[in-house]
Amino acid sequence: MNRENRREAPLPVLAFASIARPTFAVDYAEQMAAKALAALQQEGWPVYGDTSLLMDAQAARQSAIHLQEREPDVLVLLCATFSDASMAVELAAHISAPVCLWALREPGSPGERLWLNSLCGVHLAAHALHKTGRVVRYLYGDPGEAGLFEPLKALARAAATRRRLRTSRLGLVGEAPSGFYGCQFDELELGRVIGTSVHRINLTRIFQAASQAPASAVDTVIASTQAGSSGLSALNPDEVRRFGAAYVALRSLLQEEQLDGLAVRCWPEFPQDFGLMPCATLGRLADDGFICACEADLHGAVTLLILQWLSGAAPLLADVVALNEEAGTISLWHCGNAPACLARSGEEIPLTVHCNRRIGVTGNFAIRPGPATLARLGVGSRGYRLLYVEGELLDESVNRFAGNTAVFRPSCDAHQLLDTLIEGGWEHHVAFVAGHQAAALAALAELLEIEKVAL
């Protein structure tokens, strides 16, 4: 796996096939199959397949065996005309990927017979594929129509993220704090259901590595950080040195162990034994594209991975700290570990001391506004489950609480969201990311075969 572009959403690989029957308008169907394949290729995805119309199970089987060699993330199956479901089932039997069926519009004039009956073919195939346990989405429209590929894009992002999760690797630095039961996890079940493996790291190892970090490397980190935050120079110089040293140690660990990110026990040992709150250190690593979850929340870290790989943007893990019934919002906060890329555009990144511990180094800025998605991977009475809701982060000119605050207005009633989190027994951290990702999260939950809770 290429772990260098960590924030880049994994590129989905598509297989393309077309099915038809000779009793329909085959010449027109062939033209549309060529246009459909060209439209997919214009999206920039790797697309394997050709425009030949498959008209029997044997042809479908031969095509499927060839396409499976490419290990596609999604099978795009164009019902160029009506066909019974046998060819769709045959293709899916040999291609281990979710299926996106594609129905074309009817081209004939009023009063003419059905040229294609494509939509009925999609309906027939969808029923059969669902019975085989396959995840199915569909497109309806002709190549070139605006927004046509949105369901496919969501499914493709989810499928590519599922593939990447199978080989994901997270570092667990220390253990969850006492009484933080929601940050605990079953390592074997995590690997079985999600695919993530865990590399455990003792806190003492990090402290030793930080104390031995090369002075020149620490100087470089401090200088580059200070370029975006003049307030760093006002903090305790020893704490600033420890900030840089911890960054060097953790960054080296991430690279040496080929990790996608970290879940870190950030207190009490960091402030008591090392003299640092690592919030801004984790934020700086997140700016580099590594996901970082505080309080050793491993499932929270996996949630961050999911959101980052689906969106290609930096997510953040936070507490739910306030409800405003009148405004229909909830406030999301944590004590200063947000990456600088989440700050409001054009603002300097204030760095300061921790709001409770009163030692450095933490961030202190509001999260920039815009469309967003809140999500949480958790464990319920029936195993893994995934909660998600779309909404909007509001434009807050003043950071409401010291640290990092985001005011989120969900698409559902804000009180309903809080009821679901608390009465549903969800873990206390939630994650959020810019953009709307509900469709992709729904598809991912289906691919992982876990419960989905959509609000």
Side-chain angles (χ1 to χ4, degrees):
M1 180 199 308
N2 177 10
R3 297 180 185 271
E4 292 307 311
N5 268 327
R6 297 170 193 279
R7 191 169 294 157
E8 183 176 315
L11 194 64
V13 176
L14 305 185
F16 175 79
S18 301
I19 58 177
R21 267 190 174 174
T23 52
F24 289 88
V26 172
D27 290 345
Y28 180 81
E30 288 175 339
Q31 296 172 23
M32 296 304 288
K35 291 180 179 180
L37 178 57
L40 287 173
Q41 292 169 334
Q42 288 173 4
E43 293 293 325
W45 300 313
V47 184
Y48 298 97
D50 56 44
T51 61
S52 59
L53 300 183
L54 307 174
M55 295 195 182
D56 57 57
Q58 182 178 355
R61 186 181 311 114
Q62 292 173 345
S63 177
I65 292 171
H66 173 69
L67 290 172
Q68 179 56 27
E69 294 175 357
R70 302 294 187 171
E71 298 183 348
D73 293 304
V74 177
L75 168 61
V76 180
L77 182 54
L78 175 69
C79 291
T81 76
F82 174 83
S83 173
D84 66 63
S86 61
M87 285 188 290
V89 170
E90 190 68 38
L91 284 158
H94 296 280
I95 298 176
S96 55
V99 181
C100 186
L101 299 166
W102 188 345
L104 298 170
R105 298 187 186 277
E106 283 299 321
S109 300
E112 291 186 334
R113 77 179 186 98
L114 284 168
W115 283 33
L116 305 176
N117 203 18
S118 174
L119 183 57
C120 183
V122 162
H123 196 169
L124 193 68
H127 169 263
L129 292 172
H130 273 291
K131 293 194 73 173
T132 68
R134 198 54 55 93
V135 173
V136 177
R137 295 292 187 270
Y138 76 97
L139 311 176
Y140 179 60
D142 292 340
E145 291 186 17
L148 175 66
F149 287 151
E150 290 308 310
L152 173 59
K153 289 177 180 179
L155 178 61
R157 289 199 310 273
T161 297
R162 173 70 183 100
R163 166 171 46 84
R164 195 166 177 182
L165 283 170
R166 289 192 184 104
T167 55
S168 57
R169 184 169 159 82
L170 292 173
L172 178 63
V173 181
E175 301 290 340
S178 178
F180 278 55
Y181 303 113
C183 296
Q184 298 173 359
F185 69 102
D186 182 329
E187 186 171 346
L188 295 178
E189 188 70 358
L190 175 65
R192 184 186 71 83
V193 178
I194 308 299
T196 303
S197 61
V198 180
H199 178 64
R200 295 176 181 271
I201 304 112
N202 191 286
L203 276 167
T204 303
R205 173 185 170 186
I206 299 302
F207 298 157
Q208 290 175 343
S211 65
Q212 298 167 6
S216 59
V218 175
D219 290 340
T220 299
V221 173
I222 293 172
S224 60
T225 303
Q226 190 162 333
S229 178
S230 59
L232 191 65
S233 60
L235 300 181
N236 183 307
D238 292 336
E239 293 168 9
V240 172
R241 296 295 300 179
R242 287 190 281 270
F243 153 78
Y247 170 87
V248 171
L250 290 171
R251 177 69 191 247
S252 298
L253 171 72
L254 285 158
Q255 293 175 320
E256 291 167 4
E257 301 294 344
Q258 287 288 286
L259 302 173
D260 295 300
L262 299 171
V264 179
R265 181 183 172 100
C266 47
W267 61 270
E269 290 83 3
F270 254 101
Q272 291 178 359
D273 301 341
F274 189 67
L276 173 76
M277 283 306 297
C279 309
T281 302
L282 300 182
R284 174 68 191 267
L285 289 167
D287 257 328
D288 295 343
F290 298 97
I291 64 93
C292 293
C294 53
E295 294 170 334
D297 185 353
L298 206 288
H299 286 150
V302 179
T303 311
L304 294 174
L305 270 187
I306 288 170
L307 291 179
Q308 180 156 294
W309 287 342
L310 287 178
S311 67
L316 186 65
L317 201 66
D319 299 338
V320 178
V321 297
L323 168 71
N324 185 325
E325 295 92 338
E326 184 177 349
T329 62
I330 61 171
S331 293
L332 308 171
W333 169 89
H334 232 254
C335 44
N337 60 330
C341 63
L342 295 186
R344 289 158 55 93
S345 179
E347 287 191 358
E348 187 182 51
I349 309 303
L351 295 177
T352 184
V353 296
H354 188 274
C355 54
N356 295 328
R357 302 272 177 172
R358 309 311 298 168
I359 64 173
V361 178
T362 70
N364 186 27
F365 55 89
I367 304 302
R368 70 168 181 263
T373 303
L374 179 148
R376 175 71 206 197
L377 177 73
V379 180
S381 59
R382 292 178 288 180
Y384 274 101
R385 55 184 180 168
L386 182 62
L387 176 145
Y388 52 91
V389 59
E390 294 179 340
E392 180 183 10
L393 296 176
L394 302 188
D395 190 358
E396 298 289 308
S397 57
V398 177
N399 191 31
R400 176 66 177 83
F401 304 106
N404 298 121
T405 313
V407 178
F408 180 66
R409 178 181 288 143
S411 57
C412 68
D413 180 78
H415 218 306
Q416 179 191 1
L417 173 55
L418 191 60
D419 289 347
T420 300
L421 289 169
I422 294 178
E423 296 175 4
W426 286 87
E427 294 82 349
H428 83 287
H429 287 144
V430 297
F432 63 91
V433 74
H436 287 162
Q437 303 296 331
L441 288 164
L444 180 62
E446 290 182 50
L447 292 170
L448 293 170
E449 297 182 352
I450 64 176
E451 180 186 358
K452 57 182 178 181
V453 179
L455 297 177

